[in-house]
Amino acid sequence: MITITLNETVTASNDLDAEALRARMREAGTLLVNLMSSPGSGKTTLLSRIIRELPELRIGVMEADIESDVDARRIEALGAAAIQVHTSGMCHMDAGMTAAAWEAMEAKDRDLIFLENVGNLICPAEYDTGAAKNIMLLSVPEGDDKPLKYPLMFQKSDALVITKTDALPFFNFDLEACAERVHRLNPLIRIFPVSAKTGEGMEALEQWITGELQAFKHNDIQI
Amino acid sequence: MHEMGIVLHLAKTLDQTAEEHKLKAIGKVVLQVGEVSGIMTELFTDAWDYFKLRHPVLKESELVLETIPAVTWCDSCKQTYETVKYGRECPYCGSGETWLLRGNECIIKEIEAE
């Protein structure tokens, strides 16, 4: 009997897979963006609007859900490349699953691929998917207290999109208080309040995305 | 479900370790689990007992969990305090400028094998 000292995190093997995928995406020239949020925060609606408003970009979407392909069908109806990934009960995507989805995707010439992670504010934040950028969505009906309850996801994200701002008159959602809580957890995070329904705020978000894409293509993005 | 994901990664990492060190069987697996890592230890060992049977090298393994107490640092008054007892707000000065120092980890400390 021998004793081997490891002292490594349980997810160490995932971290290696994630680094490998990031290198492959860099080689392919595709910016992989991981979208995380609760179920029903409006990920697919937001993506639909982005796809319509940025027709010059070749966009692909990986839809990760426990069941069904309704989201992938919505994206394909807009003419973007989509692949549906079933996580078979798992509550998050890890780097191995993301790499497998990339393998299975027919269109390899994408500028930008959005990974729509499983709707969940906890586990997806703990697993590096291999994405170059992480975006979190928080919808107005969910409430401005979420940064207090699920701090890790806010800490791991490069941008926070506050969705459904058209519903602000009906909810006690304090945008300023929310921004202050979020910045306390992550001083560098960018915050974009938007309504994918009315289009309010979409321009600023789309400018940020295209800016990040350009920086990625010119190799001066830190990933 | 959260526990299941961690168990799958743990099994994968240990499989790789076994291959690297040419191990035939892994016995004790010592894990250090942070107090606020969100891992439910009972559910975790149950999931392990289910999944280990799928990996020949892990079939006889046994998880030993050690708890790492959670400690928070207050940036305003430069002191540390017990996270679980007091939460995000510093019990000494009431500041919210606090950071978790440890207690969120899940580390494979060591394994016994042959």
Side-chain angles (χ1 to χ4, degrees), chain A residues 19-48:
Chain A
E19 285 307 326
L21 179 60
R22 250 191 298 275
R24 285 177 64 195
M25 299 309 283
R26 147 77 51 216
E27 214 166 284
T30 302
L31 178 68
L32 179 63
V33 176
N34 176 28
L35 285 187
M36 302 180 283
S37 79
S38 305
S41 62
K43 290 190 288 294
T44 311
T45 305
L46 182 79
L47 282 184
S48 301

Side-chain angles (χ1 to χ4, degrees), chain A residues 127-138:
Chain A
Y127 291 88
D128 190 342
T129 56
K133 289 283 159 190
N134 293 300
I135 299 182
M136 176 184 179
L137 272 67
L138 175 67

